[in-house]
Amino acid sequence: MVSKCVQVTNKMGFHMRPANVFVSAMGKYKCDVFIVFNGKEINGKSIMNIMASCIKCGADIEIRCDGEDETAALQEAVQLVESGLGDEQ
Amino acid sequence: MIYKGIAGAEGIGIGKALVVREADLDYSHVVFSGAEKETKRLQTAIAAFCETVTAMQEKLTASVGEKQAEILNGQIMMIQDPFMTSQMQDFIENGQCAEAAVDAVCNMYIEMFSSVEDDLTRQRATDIRDMRARLLGILLGQTEVDLSDLPPETVLVARDFSPSMTANMQKEHIVGILSETGSKTSHSAILARSLELPAVMSVENICTLLENGDTVIVDGTRGEAVVRPAQGILEAYASKRAQLKTEKQALRAFAGKKTVTADGKQLAVYANIGKPDDVSAVLQNDGEGVGLFRTEFLFMDRAALPSEEEQFAAYRAVAAQMQGNEVIIRTLDVGGDKDIPYLHMEREENPFLGHRAVRYCLDNPESYKVQLRALLRASAYGNIKIMLPLVTTVSEVRRVRELLESVKAELRTENIKFNENIPVGVMIETPAVALTAETLAKEADFFSIGTNDLTQYTMAVDRGNSKVSALYSHYNPAVLRLIKQTADAANRAGIPVGMCGEAAADQAFMPLLIAFGLHEFSVTPAAVLPTRKTVSLWSKTDADALAERVLTLSTAEEVAAALQEAARV
């Protein structure tokens, strides 16, 4: 398992569209993807669970990837969050 | 087979039935057919869901824009959540049918989203509810009816038509309307009349009696639905329909003429409208003004209050198109049977006796001022009059005037032009104001009698309740006296008095209104010319004689009989 902490920088946080950008990207990896936020582990491939977690701008989250292509998955996940998940900054 | 109902809107329509069924999402009868089969059913339903929603989204994008359609896109994203579908799968593996799996998992998410603090996220619960209903509907084999894309010659059949349903229907393909509930004054009947579509309301079990595609005749004049008629009957109705068309053409002779009684007294026939688009029907039917512009439709079918600009644009459009003719705009008449979800009005034990119309508006001055500002600004572009609904006391009129003055002061400092003397009138809909019309006439610039509510409040009868609706008649001597008293008070005070309720279009009633001294009658656009014709058939003297006799009668039935007997065509 690999993991990394990042800060959510886009204005709207993980609302519908950014969450969709994230899960669509993660969907192509075989490994499990989790977002750890507020001590809870959230399935990173589930838009429903991500949205329900209300991850807002400025939140510190940890991304965990576990499985055969975990390194590539983590790299893309971190890069996506840092670049604002396709949202206007 | 002929089924009786209540005549909602005149005319004859012949077409194919389209039954709008209320979704029955009860799946208790569904038997688990094995995990493999249920999984397949679930997958097929999800695919169908995506297909339907994508199609809806495309249509919505084309009609209202991408932003509204985005909501639907969200539903597609959500339904494709692999984690959620695997949760549904778990339920199936445990021996539950696909419906139960969808229901349980959606409910779990609805609960989850409803309990978060973030407003935007909480709203997603509504999307999930919508998603659940649509998925269950697909699984249960219910087809959704899309009223915006109807086959030609459709007779729409439903238990009831909600205002939001009627907003989206493709009017040019509808030839008639049938409903299981409602009366002549329910929204669907009023709408049908404004669209000149025949309608029959309160036809018992009509949704069950008709199958989609059945041939059905809507006789909106006699209040009958003829289901799967024999060829001979069909032909008879078709020729009657043609005859009605001829009569209608004869009425055109009254277009472009003034409204005058047989002895030369000039009156006016105005029309009622619900939205700016309706003005074309007013002009087509030669309405001399707009006697009632119901502003509720501007507030319905949306997520938040319409902005001042939006309201201003609507009022100005109507005023400008009416080219200096009077446009009487009624301020928001919310409450009662008209609910606007985003206002979050409290549920009331007795909504018709509750916090509605001008009462609600005066308690929410900030949003009321937006409407008043828009009305004042639009008054610079035409002949606008403001009308207050459901007034019961003079102090309500005073409070509105105070608000109006404060808005005027704002506009003056902003150098925005408006009509300084914009008339403010009162809709006479309660016995309270009819009985105190004398004092009210000193503070109101005009009266307009709204007979629907006036009859309901005078007779203490819910017009939608078929058990008591027989009592609901403007022929009741009590209602007649209140109308006369209101008109007398207005005439003594020298202010105009009109009528904008359904009774104004009751041709048999017209001689009484002429006798009582009303000046203006506001009717559904299709009734403008028939009303003008009726006025032309009566002299004030004849009308007075009839009124004198009618006022001695003691029951609504006697009044109805006397008026029918005297009716002129």
Side-chain angles (χ1 to χ4, degrees):
Chain A
M1 190 198 71
V2 291
S3 82
K4 192 164 179 189
C5 290
V6 278
Q7 195 178 42
V8 179
T9 57
N10 63 312
K11 210 165 67 200
M12 297 293 287
F14 272 89
H15 74 109
M16 177 94 77
R17 218 171 336 160
N20 191 50
V21 168
F22 190 84
V23 297
S24 314
M26 293 303 106
K28 59 179 185 276
Y29 295 102
K30 292 196 188 83
C31 65
D32 287 333
V33 179
F34 295 101
I35 298 174
V36 185
F37 173 63
N38 267 352
K40 267 196 319 197
E41 199 172 64
I42 305 148
N43 188 320
K45 293 183 176 181
S46 166
I47 189 168
M48 299 287 268
N49 284 276
I50 292 178
M51 281 196 305
S53 307
C54 292
I55 306 171
K56 297 227 169 86
C57 181
D60 290 307
I61 59 171
E62 183 191 341
I63 299 170
R64 286 183 192 156
C65 299
D66 193 2
E68 57 178 279
D69 47 8
E70 56 185 38
T71 322
L74 184 67
Q75 195 190 349
E76 182 170 358
V78 169
Q79 190 254 323
L80 269 176
V81 176
E82 283 177 340
S83 69
L85 293 163
D87 232 8
E88 287 146 39
Q89 295 291 305
Chain B
M1 224 10 228
I2 296 179
Y3 296 91
K4 281 295 281 178
I6 297 170
E10 285 196 5
I12 288 171
I14 305 172
K16 302 269 183 224
L18 186 92
V19 185
V20 186
R21 289 180 208 283
E22 268 165 66
D24 173 13
L25 300 178
D26 176 21
Y27 54 83
S28 52
H29 62 280
V30 179
V31 186
F32 179 68
S33 57
E36 201 180 320
K37 261 200 170 148
E38 293 295 341
T39 306
K40 186 95 189 95
R41 289 182 64 223
L42 178 65
Q43 285 166 347
T44 316
I46 291 176
F49 177 98
C50 292
E51 204 176 300
T52 318
V53 177
T54 308
M56 279 169 67
Q57 196 194 350
E58 277 164 15
K59 206 142 85 193
L60 216 57
T61 308
S63 61
V64 293
E66 212 158 317
K67 230 174 144 197
Q68 298 263 13
E70 180 105 352
I71 298 172
L72 290 176
N73 195 33
Q75 289 196 13
I76 297 180
M77 292 180 197
M78 292 196 281
I79 198 74
Q80 286 172 335
D81 185 330
F83 186 66
M84 183 174 70
T85 39
S86 80
Q87 285 172 310
M88 292 176 182
Q89 194 63 49
D90 291 345
F91 276 91
I92 291 177
E93 300 295 340
N94 284 324
Q96 306 258 24
C97 64
E99 287 86 349
V102 166
D103 200 21
V105 172
C106 285
N107 283 341
M108 188 191 82
Y109 281 107
I110 290 167
E111 205 167 303
M112 194 156 142
F113 277 80
S114 305
S115 63
V116 302
E117 263 170 47
D118 180 54
D119 244 359
L120 209 70
T121 309
R122 218 171 27 230
Q123 283 171 24
R124 287 276 109 76
T126 315
D127 285 317
I128 305 170
R129 276 195 198 95
D130 198 24
M131 221 164 83
R132 176 185 59 185
R134 185 165 289 128
L135 258 182
L136 285 177
I138 293 171
L139 282 166
L140 293 165
Q142 290 160 350
T143 40
E144 268 182 86
V145 185
D146 182 358
L147 298 183
S148 66
D149 188 14
L150 299 167
E153 316 258 289
T154 295
V155 171
L156 270 190
V157 187
R159 214 181 83 73
D160 191 16
F161 290 91
S162 68
S164 60
M165 247 161 100
T166 49
N168 293 322
M169 62 195 199
Q170 193 185 17
K171 285 133 194 154
E172 54 289 6
H173 283 179
I174 304 173
V175 295
I177 286 175
L178 294 173
S179 76
E180 269 183 21
T181 59
S183 65
K184 211 176 161 71
T185 46
S186 58
H187 290 295
S188 20
I190 292 172
L191 183 96
R193 283 197 293 281
S194 70
L195 296 172
E196 301 187 30
L197 289 173
V200 183
M201 333 307 296
S202 282
V203 190
E204 262 181 66
N205 299 322
I206 193 69
C207 291
T208 342
L209 292 167
L210 280 170
E211 292 280 339
N212 282 344
D214 276 351
T215 298
V216 59
I217 299 168
V218 182
D219 185 341
T221 311
R222 287 161 68 172
E224 288 172 356
V226 191
V227 173
R228 294 178 289 268
Q231 192 57 30
I233 294 172
L234 198 62
E235 280 161 17
Y237 272 97
S239 77
K240 200 171 158 200
R241 182 175 59 176
Q243 185 202 332
L244 285 174
K245 204 173 156 194
T246 321
E247 282 170 19
K248 210 164 154 189
Q249 278 161 351
L251 272 179
R252 292 307 302 176
F254 286 87
K257 302 271 163 59
K258 291 206 159 72
T259 303
V260 277
T261 59
D263 50 355
K265 187 174 158 52
Q266 191 174 332
L267 302 170
V269 185
Y270 288 6
N272 299 339
I273 63 169
K275 48 186 186 323
D277 287 355
D278 299 340
V279 174
S280 56
V282 179
L283 297 172
Q284 238 166 47
N285 288 285
D286 198 36
E288 293 159 79
V290 169
L292 169 64
F293 177 4
R294 306 180 183 90
T295 53
E296 293 74 67
F297 283 81
L298 275 168
F299 291 78
M300 289 174 135
D301 287 322
R302 50 190 301 140
L305 286 166
S307 66
E308 179 186 322
E309 285 311 314
E310 217 173 313
Q311 294 191 54
F312 165 62
Y315 307 148
R316 186 183 62 180
V318 174
Q321 285 181 80
M322 290 307 297
Q323 300 185 335
N325 288 318
E326 277 184 4
V327 176
I328 300 175
I329 304 182
R330 181 177 72 186
T331 62
L332 183 61
D333 185 12
V334 68
D337 58 346
K338 286 172 240 153
D339 183 35
I340 297 178
Y342 59 82
L343 294 180
H344 302 292
M345 295 173 75
E346 270 176 53
R347 283 215 171 278
E348 296 176 299
E349 200 71 34
N350 280 309
F352 278 103
L353 303 181
H355 199 217
R356 56 172 292 209
V358 79
R359 302 170 180 180
Y360 174 87
C361 289
L362 281 170
D363 288 341
N364 291 276
E366 286 317 308
S367 45
Y368 197 33
K369 274 167 89 172
V370 174
Q371 183 169 38
L372 295 176
R373 244 183 95 99
L375 285 167
L376 280 169
R377 285 175 59 196
S379 71
Y381 299 85
N383 190 358
I384 289 180
K385 292 171 137 189
I386 296 176
M387 178 158 71
L388 314 178
L390 204 82
V391 169
T392 43
T393 70
V394 169
S395 58
E396 284 161 340
V397 180
R398 291 182 188 155
R399 285 171 65 198
V400 174
R401 285 207 188 265
E402 271 167 37
L403 268 185
L404 196 66
E405 286 311 314
S406 74
V407 177
K408 283 182 182 175
E410 278 172 32
L411 291 174
R412 276 181 218 116
T413 52
E414 292 166 46
N415 273 324
I416 296 172
K417 53 180 182 164
F418 63 92
N419 175 9
E420 285 280 354
N421 302 313
I422 189 165
V424 177
V426 167
M427 197 157 165
I428 306 293
E429 304 177 270
T430 59
V433 280
L435 291 167
T436 54
E438 195 83 54
T439 42
L440 193 66
K442 296 185 187 122
E443 313 214 10
D445 296 317
F446 64 93
F447 286 161
S448 183
I449 304 171
T451 43
N452 302 7
D453 272 345
L454 184 62
T455 306
Q456 152 164 299
Y457 288 126
T458 305
M459 300 309 296
V461 59
D462 173 357
R463 62 195 194 207
N465 181 344
S466 55
K467 290 201 181 101
V468 291
S469 58
L471 277 170
Y472 177 84
S473 163
H474 51 273
Y475 293 157
N476 278 294
V479 181
L480 295 185
R481 277 164 178 72
L482 290 178
I483 295 172
K484 181 172 189 306
Q485 191 165 342
T486 303
D488 286 346
N491 283 318
R492 270 197 298 273
I495 62 168
V497 53
M499 178 174 282
C500 59
E502 294 296 309
D506 174 358
Q507 306 304 324
F509 202 53
M510 183 51 70
L512 293 188
L513 302 180
I514 296 173
F516 292 164
L518 275 77
H519 309 115
E520 165 256 301
F521 315 104
S522 193
V523 297
T524 183
V528 168
L529 295 177
T531 305
R532 185 170 296 152
K533 181 183 168 202
T534 307
V535 170
S536 78
L537 298 174
W538 286 89
S539 67
K540 178 81 165 65
T541 331
D542 287 359
D544 282 345
L546 177 63
E548 200 178 322
R549 191 156 55 84
V550 165
L551 284 174
T552 64
L553 302 174
S554 32
T555 68
E557 292 72 25
E558 287 168 27
V559 171
L563 293 179
Q564 281 310 327
E565 196 197 302
R568 298 177 180 178
V569 280

